[in-house]
Amino acid sequence: MPSLAEMQSRIRRAVIDGDTAGMVALLIGGCDPERRLAIHQRHYRSSLVAAIRTKFPATAWLLGIPCLREAAGQFVRQHPPAAPCIAEYGEEFPRFLSTYSCAARVPYLYSFAELEWHLGQVAIAVDRPTLALEVFSRFEANTLMHTCLTLQSGLRYLHASWPVDDLMKLYLTGTAPAEYRLAPADVWLEVRGARGEFRIDRLDAANFVFRKAVLDGQSIGVAAERALDANIGFDVGRAFTTLVRSGHVIGTTSRDRGGQA
Amino acid sequence: MSSNRWVPIGAGVGLRLPHIAEVAATRPSVPWLEIHPENFLANPHATELLLEVRRDYPISVHTVGVSVGSVGGIDHVHLQRVRTLVDMVDPVFVSGHLAWSTHDGEYLNDLLPLPYDEETLRLVAAHIDEVQDSLGRPYLLENPSSYLGFDTSTMSELDFLREVVRRTGCRLLCDVSNVYLSAHNMGYDPYWYIDGLPIGAVGELHLGGFTPEEDEAEPGAQILIDTHAGRIAEPVWELYARAVRRFGAKPTLIEWDNDIPSFAVLLAEARRADEIAGRALAPESRCAVAS
């Protein structure tokens, strides 16, 4: 008689991989327990494929539902969820999809699907009260450069080598023409959302680098240095002021003192 | 160990994400609501709405991801997240399933069956102790919906549940639809099952829709799939009346998780549950049972 651990390993193989070896003799239920085991196999696959489809409707529109469904079926088999919150499942799907055979004809697919994933994530975020620019008037310049900013949780910064934001807007507005030519072009995107809504804005490369570095936890000084590497004419003061006034900043921490505003 | 929120009487409904904004905005008349924490843990906006809703409704937290039957143990990260939500919501109940769903760092997104023997009993009891200690409140354990059993089981599901209750002090959530469905699929009498559950341990009842499918192994026969995708079947309402007569008036929940209808449809099902419970508890009905 197998141990419970061995039994659960076998059921796991049956449910995810379809391998029922060594399982059927242990089961009871109806005339053919193996067919009943298939109920759990089907549920695993169909529930997770449905979850992926729900999260990537625009990608399904772009690629076609059959291709997306087939890719999602492979994905759920090769990448089972790691935790019970299925809302968090699927972050790796854009990367997986971009390597999938029927996606080879769409070179911007990864960027498009990644954008869609982040739209879904920021749309369920919650905005927090923002810091006014006046808060920073009491900071000395040197202190400010060593200050890290906490940004709204519904912010993402994405770089793509194709204008996938234009394509996404066609989908979202239902205005896709019969034929549309997409040419490669670098875009630096800021995706912001909260409470069911979102927006996509383009930034210039230096501003993108600055804001992304701030979001990643770098001090204002380090973020500014990186932005200046991207564009020697980058205006730090203006970029900082615009960032604060846009309502993105909700807190500060000092690298040196560890304090919070 | 228990919540200080009052225990509701009457039938509530499962609050799913498509309805939460409507419920927050309109505050419909329903005695209580039940949520799956897994729908809220990764959704700050939904959690914000839930915290608004909880001001006006008792909330029950029904987990689908706390896998008390997994050999690999409880997912402590997940349990801590559930605890954080429970501390915010202060629910009237916290419940989960007699099943397993995690294996070696993977979540199988299903409620998988367990063999009923001493090894499983020790494991499940230890995990329920752990969950109750972590949450600081009693856990209600739900009877499973079954398509399969194990040749290696050495005790019945009823004996297993009774012993889990004895060892852990947990309570039971009797899913009446699961009783009906499992009895149909596994070939036993659902009324025998209801009559065998320990009366004092049952703290909550569930009702949900199932979907009949042709049993491929037995042409002409049907297998019932626990889809929560439709109205409650007539034989389940009859079994519910028996459950109410046996366990008394208990908070009852209407579960509908797929092909989710308007909230009004859920409220109508809840009202029907209340009517059936009212009739089942009427004096003449109780006399009829006694005779």
Side-chain angles (χ1 to χ4, degrees), chain A residues 18-81:
Chain A
D19 172 11
T20 57
M23 202 59 247
V24 175
L26 302 171
L27 299 174
I28 55 173
C31 294
D32 187 352
E34 189 171 358
R35 287 181 188 264
R36 294 202 172 184
L37 193 55
I39 294 169
H40 292 292
Q41 293 167 337
R42 283 201 304 271
H43 177 79
Y44 172 80
R45 182 186 162 92
S46 64
S47 63
L48 292 177
V49 167
I52 294 290
R53 280 191 59 185
T54 301
K55 288 170 194 178
F56 294 96
T59 306
W61 162 80
L62 184 68
L63 202 56
I65 291 172
C67 180
L68 187 104
R69 190 189 294 128
E70 187 186 321
Q74 288 295 324
F75 177 74
V76 305
R77 188 168 169 175
Q78 294 177 30
H79 301 275

Side-chain angles (χ1 to χ4, degrees), chain B residues 15-25 35 40 45-51 53:
Chain B
L15 178 60
R16 305 300 178 242
L17 294 182
H19 292 140
I20 190 161
E22 177 188 345
V23 170
I35 61 145
F40 291 85
H45 182 213
T47 301
E48 184 180 60
L49 292 171
L50 174 66
L51 294 177
V53 166

Side-chain angles (χ1 to χ4, degrees), chain B residues 208-230:
Chain B
F210 54 72
T211 304
E213 283 185 7
E214 185 178 346
D215 190 340
E216 292 174 4
E218 293 181 71
Q222 284 187 325
I223 188 161
L224 305 181
I225 310 295
D226 188 22
T227 53
H228 294 181

Side-chain angles (χ1 to χ4, degrees), chain B residues 29-104:
Chain B
S29 176
V30 60
W32 61 292
L33 299 164
E34 187 163 282
I35 61 145
H36 293 164
E38 289 79 7
N39 291 341
F40 291 85
L41 297 178
N43 191 330
H45 182 213
T47 301
E48 184 180 60
L49 292 171
L50 174 66
L51 294 177
E52 280 180 32
V53 166
R54 73 167 288 280
R55 295 188 202 131
D56 292 331
Y57 300 93
I59 303 287
S60 168
V61 169
H62 186 54
T63 69
V64 294
V66 175
S67 179
V68 297
S70 283
V71 170
I74 298 286
D75 177 342
H76 292 106
V77 172
H78 183 61
L79 182 59
Q80 180 56 46
R81 295 176 79 184
V82 171
R83 180 185 168 172
T84 300
L85 187 73
V86 162
D87 287 345
M88 286 194 289
V89 171
D90 189 19
V92 286
F93 301 122
V94 182
S95 56
H97 301 85
L98 176 59
W100 67 282
S101 55
T102 58
H103 180 271
D104 202 15

Side-chain angles (χ1 to χ4, degrees), chain A residues 1-12 15-16 23 25-44 47-48 80-88 121 123-128 153 194-196, chain B residues 37-39 41-46 48 64-66 69-72 75 78 81 100 102-103 105-115 117 119-120 123 145-152 184-186 213 215-218 222-223 225:
Chain A
M1 186 176 80
S3 66
L4 186 58
E6 174 58 23
M7 198 130 32
Q8 292 190 353
S9 287
R10 291 186 196 180
I11 292 178
R12 181 259 173 232
V15 168
I16 297 180
M23 202 59 247
L26 302 171
L27 299 174
I28 55 173
C31 294
D32 187 352
E34 189 171 358
R35 287 181 188 264
R36 294 202 172 184
L37 193 55
I39 294 169
H40 292 292
Q41 293 167 337
R42 283 201 304 271
H43 177 79
Y44 172 80
S47 63
L48 292 177
C85 291
I86 297 305
E88 294 169 330
Q121 293 296 299
I124 58 173
V126 173
D127 262 347
R128 299 294 176 204
S153 60
R195 299 186 175 94
Chain B
E38 289 79 7
N39 291 341
L41 297 178
N43 191 330
H45 182 213
E48 184 180 60
V64 294
V66 175
S70 283
V71 170
D75 177 342
H78 183 61
R81 295 176 79 184
W100 67 282
T102 58
H103 180 271
E106 295 171 342
Y107 176 66
L108 304 181
N109 202 34
D110 202 352
L111 300 165
L112 295 162
L114 289 161
D117 57 21
E119 182 189 4
T120 310
L123 180 92
S145 54
S146 300
Y147 318 106
L148 290 166
F150 291 86
D151 196 37
T152 54
H184 173 91
N185 291 341
M186 302 303 292
E213 283 185 7
D215 190 340
E216 292 174 4
E218 293 181 71
Q222 284 187 325
I223 188 161
I225 310 295

Side-chain angles (χ1 to χ4, degrees), chain B:
Chain B
M1 280 276 281
S2 65
S3 164
N4 58 8
R5 306 207 80 192
W6 49 278
V7 175
I9 295 296
V13 302
L15 178 60
R16 305 300 178 242
L17 294 182
H19 292 140
I20 190 161
E22 177 188 345
V23 170
T26 64
R27 300 292 201 271
S29 176
V30 60
W32 61 292
L33 299 164
E34 187 163 282
I35 61 145
H36 293 164
E38 289 79 7
N39 291 341
F40 291 85
L41 297 178
N43 191 330
H45 182 213
T47 301
E48 184 180 60
L49 292 171
L50 174 66
L51 294 177
E52 280 180 32
V53 166
R54 73 167 288 280
R55 295 188 202 131
D56 292 331
Y57 300 93
I59 303 287
S60 168
V61 169
H62 186 54
T63 69
V64 294
V66 175
S67 179
V68 297
S70 283
V71 170
I74 298 286
D75 177 342
H76 292 106
V77 172
H78 183 61
L79 182 59
Q80 180 56 46
R81 295 176 79 184
V82 171
R83 180 185 168 172
T84 300
L85 187 73
V86 162
D87 287 345
M88 286 194 289
V89 171
D90 189 19
V92 286
F93 301 122
V94 182
S95 56
H97 301 85
L98 176 59
W100 67 282
S101 55
T102 58
H103 180 271
D104 202 15
E106 295 171 342
Y107 176 66
L108 304 181
N109 202 34
D110 202 352
L111 300 165
L112 295 162
L114 289 161
Y116 299 130
D117 57 21
E118 182 58 33
E119 182 189 4
T120 310
L121 189 52
R122 280 198 303 270
L123 180 92
V124 168
H127 287 163
I128 289 176
D129 284 342
E130 194 178 335
V131 171
Q132 293 187 133
D133 288 347
S134 173
L135 299 180
R137 58 184 74 216
Y139 196 62
L140 280 74
L141 190 64
E142 177 180 330
N143 55 297
S145 54
S146 300
Y147 318 106
L148 290 166
F150 291 86
D151 196 37
T152 54
S153 288
T154 57
M155 63 182 82
S156 71
E157 187 171 292
L158 279 174
D159 288 340
F160 190 92
L161 284 170
R162 280 192 288 255
E163 191 58 19
V164 170
V165 168
R166 192 189 69 77
R167 292 189 188 188
T168 68
C170 78
R171 305 191 72 200
L172 295 177
L173 189 171
C174 174
D175 188 316
V176 178
S177 298
N178 284 1
V179 172
Y180 180 83
L181 176 153
S182 299
H184 173 91
N185 291 341
M186 302 303 292
Y188 56 82
D189 179 0
Y191 289 86
W192 163 82
Y193 191 101
I194 291 288
D195 290 348
L197 285 171
I199 293 178
V202 174
E204 182 186 343
L205 304 174
H206 270 189
L207 293 165
F210 54 72
T211 304
E213 283 185 7
E214 185 178 346
D215 190 340
E216 292 174 4
E218 293 181 71
Q222 284 187 325
I223 188 161
L224 305 181
I225 310 295
D226 188 22
T227 53
H228 294 181
R231 291 183 183 277
I232 291 133
E234 288 304 320
V236 174
W237 285 122
E238 292 167 18
L239 189 62
Y240 173 61
R242 173 69 155 259
V244 170
R245 283 194 290 270
R246 176 163 168 76
F247 305 127
K250 297 292 176 190
T252 297
L253 185 88
I254 305 299
E255 288 188 297
W256 203 318
D257 294 293
N258 293 295
D259 301 328
I260 297 174
S262 71
F263 202 73
V265 172
L266 302 181
L267 292 176
E269 291 284 269
R271 280 195 294 274
R272 184 163 185 202
D274 284 338
E275 289 164 9
I276 288 170
R279 283 200 298 273
L281 292 170
E284 61 273 24
S285 175
R286 299 176 72 83
C287 290
V289 171
S291 64

